Amino acid sequence: MLNAAYDCENIFAKIIRGEMPAVKIYEDDKILSFMDVFPQSDGHALVIHKTAQAVNLLDVEQGALSELTTAVQNIAGAIKTGLNPDGFRVVQFNGAPAGQTVFHLHFHIIPIYEGKSLGRHGDGAPADTDALEAMAAKIRAAL
Ligand code: 5GP
């Protein structure tokens, strides 16, 4: 499962191509960050590379990985400023048995708020788009 070929029809590839909607936080020619539609906490963000067709961490060329992790740090900083969480997790799943459900390499940034438990990974109802947009606006303003 760690050797799966990249499938251009995965949902994140469709978001990159504009074939599926997403509440975007940041985009340039290489990086896209957007709100997770099944958030585990308020401000749960995803960061992906737009041109590296990597399924998981082992597939990605190191220059692209560096661009990705730099973006993760920048977005996490904007989440700190914009949403004022008490902490955050950076999570990244490799292979279905490890919990990966979308097979385009991505990093989760999951804000942690003291006293508030996290939702389950990839579970529950999709979040309200207006609520996601309001959080994304606060994050974008801090970038
Ligand atoms: P994985 O399980 O592969 O680590 O993470 C995939 C993430 O993508 C999950 O947290 C899931 O909630 C999120 N997700 C799945 N489908 C969509 C979608 O269509 N749009 C957005 N924004 N997030 C999605």
Side-chain angles (χ1 to χ4, degrees):
M1 283 172 203
L2 288 173
N3 297 321
Y6 184 83
D7 175 4
C8 292
E9 295 308 311
N10 77 76
I11 197 108
F12 292 173
K14 289 182 179 176
I15 288 173
I16 291 169
R17 293 196 296 267
E19 295 166 11
M20 284 285 293
V23 176
K24 294 183 180 179
I25 297 167
Y26 174 81
E27 183 165 22
D28 62 25
D29 57 338
K30 292 180 175 162
I31 297 295
L32 175 62
S33 177
F34 52 100
M35 304 302 288
D36 195 305
V37 81
F38 301 102
Q40 289 184 254
S41 71
D42 285 351
H44 182 166
L46 300 168
V47 185
I48 64 177
H49 203 282
K50 288 169 65 176
T51 59
Q53 295 197 330
V55 174
N56 63 52
L57 189 65
L58 301 178
D59 296 338
V60 67
E61 181 268 317
Q62 290 190 340
L65 178 60
S66 172
E67 289 160 358
L68 254 178
T69 53
T70 298
V72 167
Q73 186 188 47
N74 289 339
I75 304 294
I79 288 173
K80 172 179 180 271
T81 305
L83 300 180
N84 199 30
D86 300 302
F88 66 91
R89 289 184 188 164
V90 173
V91 187
Q92 194 272 312
F93 300 87
N94 300 280
Q100 186 174 10
T101 58
V102 178
F103 297 94
H104 178 115
L105 172 66
H106 54 281
F107 286 82
H108 298 253
I109 304 170
I110 306 175
I112 306 290
Y113 305 90
E114 241 169 13
K116 221 173 160 185
S117 53
L118 286 185
R120 284 163 56 102
H121 172 67
D123 205 16
D128 174 68
T129 303
D130 289 343
L132 290 182
E133 181 51 49
M135 279 181 278
K138 287 183 187 171
I139 303 168
R140 283 195 300 264
L143 273 172

